[in-house]
């Protein structure tokens, strides 16, 4: 009976050992399966980085266009009434019926954001991205915050983007752009001019404008639209945005 008991114990131990070995191989087998999956996911993340760079570069170009376009329209993307239709622009009046309409910098920043939100879709055109990279892309609503700082313009873009192929998905959503352009300086020049213009509403302050241009490295144009309307163009010798002189 004792031998039978010992045999039973040995058999039980053998079964336990076999189960343990089987579990060990099963766990290791799972790890072997998981490692290639992790590697594939990592490789996919690296492969889609050029797409993220492409989108970010495109958003930067759209942002530069936004600053130029909004400035050309007097600080607005959607110019309020009254405004002047000139060429393809709707230029806001700053002085109308002896009243001053000059947007604040926060209003201008908001208009820049609106332009970007309206035009960012061109950066995530699925047909273009698939043709270039062979990946599909989907997006959700975009939200933009523009801040005009002392020496630059900071643009924070929240734009959820999914890039996917072969059941793999990579998500991006935040883009932070630092536009190296001193808009605040140009705004200050316009502010000084308007302050002088308000002193003599019916007279063009040519002497003041000429001195202002000389001191701030700019030239100006005066375009007579009609006997009651003068369009001022301030052209700054600053090509940091897109290699062209900046026009306000």
């Amino acid at each position: 009976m004792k031998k039978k008991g010992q045999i039973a114990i040995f058999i039980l131990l053998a079964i336990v050992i076999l189960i343990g070995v089987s579990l060990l191989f099963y766990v290791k087998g799972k790890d072997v399966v998981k490692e290639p999956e992790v590697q594939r996911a990592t490789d996919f993340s690296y492969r889609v980085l050029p797409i993220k760079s492409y989108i970010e570069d495109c958003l930067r170009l759209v942002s530069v266009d936004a600053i130029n376009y909004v400035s050309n329209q007097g600080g607005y993307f959607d110019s309020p009434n009254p405004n002047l239709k000139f060429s393809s622009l709707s230029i806001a009046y700053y002085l109308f019926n002896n009243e001053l309409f000059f947007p604040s910098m926060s209003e201008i920043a908001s208009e820049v954001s609106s332009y970007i939100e309206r035009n960012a879709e061109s950066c995530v055109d699925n047909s273009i991205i698939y043709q270039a990279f062979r990946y599909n892309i989907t997006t959700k609503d975009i939200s933009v915050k523009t801040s005009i700082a002392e020496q630059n313009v900071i643009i924070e873009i929240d734009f959820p983007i999914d890039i996917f192929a072969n059941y793999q998905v990579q998500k991006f959503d935040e883009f932070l752009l630092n536009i190296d352009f001193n808009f605040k300086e140009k705004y200050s020049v316009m502010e000084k001019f308007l302050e002088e213009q308000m002193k003599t509403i019916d007279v063009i302050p040519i002497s003041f404008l000429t001195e202002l241009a000389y001191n701030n490295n700019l030239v100006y144009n005066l375009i007579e639209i009609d006997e009651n309307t003068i369009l001022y163009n301030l052209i700054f010798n600053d090509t940091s945005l897109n290699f062209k002189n900046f026009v306000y």
Side-chain angles (χ1 to χ4, degrees):
M1 288 295 293
K2 192 172 182 181
K3 286 184 179 180
K4 286 184 180 179
Q6 287 176 339
I7 292 170
I9 291 170
F10 289 140
I11 292 172
L12 183 60
L13 285 172
I15 292 172
V16 170
I17 291 170
L18 283 172
I19 291 173
V21 171
S22 299
L23 283 172
L24 181 63
F25 277 114
Y26 174 71
V27 170
K28 285 189 173 181
K30 284 185 71 177
D31 288 341
V32 170
V33 171
K34 281 184 177 180
E35 283 179 11
E37 290 178 354
V38 171
Q39 186 63 46
R40 281 197 299 271
T42 304
D43 291 345
F44 181 68
S45 298
Y46 280 113
R47 287 199 304 273
V48 299
L49 283 178
I51 304 177
K52 184 176 187 289
S53 296
Y54 164 82
I55 294 171
E56 187 167 315
D57 290 344
C58 181
L59 289 173
R60 181 176 294 275
L61 289 175
V62 170
S63 299
V64 168
D65 287 345
I67 296 170
N68 276 314
Y69 184 83
V70 166
S71 299
N72 286 338
Q73 294 211 138
Y76 293 97
F77 172 47
D78 291 314
S79 295
N81 289 318
N83 61 66
L84 172 68
K85 305 300 181 186
F86 184 79
S87 186
S88 60
L89 301 172
S90 298
I91 303 172
Y93 281 98
Y94 279 0
L95 189 59
F96 189 83
N97 289 340
N98 295 337
E99 287 189 60
L100 184 63
F101 300 90
F102 185 45
S104 66
M105 277 200 295
S106 61
E107 288 176 308
I108 293 173
S110 179
E111 294 293 314
V112 169
S113 296
S114 296
Y115 181 103
I116 297 168
E117 289 172 351
R118 197 83 61 86
N119 291 277
E121 284 297 324
S122 62
C123 297
V124 289
D125 187 314
N126 188 58
S127 61
I128 294 174
I129 288 177
Y130 184 80
Q131 185 176 5
F133 300 101
R134 290 294 184 257
Y135 290 108
N136 288 303
I137 186 170
T138 60
T139 63
K140 294 181 181 177
D141 291 341
I142 184 174
S143 175
V144 179
K145 179 184 177 183
T146 301
S147 303
I148 299 173
E150 286 295 328
Q151 300 290 331
N152 56 352
V153 179
I154 300 168
I155 299 174
E156 302 169 72
I157 303 176
D158 183 15
F159 199 7
I161 296 171
D162 289 350
I163 303 169
F164 57 94
N166 299 327
Y167 306 104
Q168 291 180 298
V169 179
Q170 180 66 49
K171 296 179 180 290
F172 299 111
D173 56 8
E174 293 180 354
F175 299 86
L176 179 62
L177 306 178
N178 184 353
I179 309 298
D180 187 17
F181 178 73
N182 192 340
F183 180 86
K184 195 171 185 178
E185 177 186 58
K186 282 71 175 174
Y187 182 89
S188 177
V189 170
M190 180 59 74
E191 201 170 32
K192 289 175 183 176
F193 168 68
L194 288 172
E195 184 179 340
E196 183 67 22
Q197 179 70 80
M198 288 299 292
K199 295 176 183 176
T200 53
I201 291 178
D202 296 326
V203 178
I204 298 173
I206 290 292
S207 297
F208 181 86
L209 190 54
T210 301
E211 184 179 356
L212 193 68
Y214 178 79
N215 291 334
N216 292 277
N217 196 22
L218 64 90
V219 296
Y220 62 86
N221 288 330
L222 303 180
I223 303 171
E224 186 175 353
I225 305 300
D226 56 46
E227 61 181 10
N228 296 315
T229 306
I230 300 292
L231 175 62
Y232 293 84
N233 274 344
L234 302 189
I235 306 168
F236 293 84
N237 186 23
D238 186 338
T239 60
S240 56
L241 271 185
N242 59 357
F243 307 107
K244 295 179 182 178
N245 289 328
F246 177 73
V247 180
Y248 196 131

